[in-house]
Amino acid sequence: LTRLGVPLDRMPTLAAVKLLAVAGLVVGFFVDRVHVLVGVCLVLYFAIAVTAHVRVRDGIRHTAPAFVVLTVSVAFALAAIGS
């Protein structure tokens, strides 16, 4: 992430966001409409991640994982909105 220009002091924040996303996905199985919020937040998170990779001209090897997860997040969000 330092290659993307993310300061080291932001790493714990990003880790917390990812842990909250996992918790939100689990809670979403039991609480109605939480999964919609989590899906939208994941789309935003990974859209920012892909943008960061593109901004620093990262190769496809480094950008593809974020793009794949973004695509899955979009599918999840759309499915959650449709339910």
Side-chain angles (χ1 to χ4, degrees), residues 1-79:
L1 292 175
T2 54
R3 183 177 69 250
L4 301 177
V6 177
L8 289 176
D9 64 334
R10 301 287 179 169
M11 300 295 180
T13 303
L14 292 175
V17 168
K18 288 181 180 182
L19 288 173
L20 286 171
V22 170
L25 288 171
V26 171
V27 170
F29 285 116
F30 304 104
V31 179
D32 198 29
R33 294 293 173 202
V34 170
H35 58 290
V36 174
L37 177 63
V38 172
V40 170
C41 289
L42 284 171
V43 168
L44 290 172
Y45 181 89
F46 284 103
I48 292 168
V50 169
T51 302
H53 283 283
V54 170
R55 181 179 53 87
V56 298
R57 298 175 195 251
D58 243 352
I60 190 75
R61 180 174 157 238
H62 297 291
T63 306
F67 184 77
V68 168
V69 177
L70 171 62
T71 304
V72 171
S73 298
V74 167
F76 177 83
L78 291 174

